[in-house]
Amino acid sequence: VLEHLGMVAAIEDCLRKGAERSGFKVRLRSKVDSDDFKSLSIVEQSLLYRLVQESITNICKHANASTVRITVEKVDDCLLITVNDDGKGLD
């Protein structure tokens, strides 16, 4: 999915699949376009995607969340991907 559709679409697909498994609502906001990922190698993009994927997996397994929000944005020259949920946290 990542190579064919790009990073944001791959994250959206992963988030949708997590929602189907766990029943949470999803919110994805992206303030970047595909050109913002062109400076990253496919390995770097894969690592970012895997981090998001693992975050969603952990939310599905442990958080009991009703809403998951992911924001993809550029801050200065950095790419920032934020994953938030309203599930139970750690003590």
Side-chain angles (χ1 to χ4, degrees), residues 24 30-31 36 39-40 48 59 64 72-73 81 90-91:
F24 53 73
S30 176
K31 299 178 182 179
D36 291 318
S39 63
L40 300 175
L48 284 174
I59 291 167
N64 196 28
V72 183
E73 59 189 327
I81 301 174
L90 301 174
D91 291 337

Side-chain angles (χ1 to χ4, degrees), residues 3-85:
E3 289 186 51
H4 297 291
L5 299 178
M7 178 67 76
V8 175
I11 290 172
E12 184 175 22
D13 180 66
C14 185
L15 187 57
R16 181 186 52 76
K17 288 177 181 174
E20 288 173 1
R21 285 193 312 267
S22 296
F24 53 73
K25 295 177 186 173
V26 299
R27 304 281 187 264
L28 175 64
R29 187 173 72 193
S30 176
K31 299 178 182 179
V32 299
D33 57 33
S34 58
D35 289 339
D36 291 318
F37 293 97
K38 292 198 187 247
S39 63
L40 300 175
S41 71
I42 191 64
V43 171
E44 292 168 324
Q45 290 182 48
S46 294
L47 289 171
L48 284 174
Y49 174 76
R50 295 291 181 204
L51 287 168
V52 172
Q53 185 180 45
E54 185 63 18
S55 296
I56 294 169
T57 298
N58 287 341
I59 291 167
C60 291
K61 287 181 180 178
H62 307 293
N64 196 28
S66 61
T67 303
V68 178
R69 293 175 181 85
I70 297 181
T71 304
V72 183
E73 59 189 327
K74 234 179 138 176
V75 177
D76 298 321
D77 286 335
C78 297
L79 183 64
L80 179 63
I81 301 174
T82 306
V83 180
N84 290 310
D85 69 77

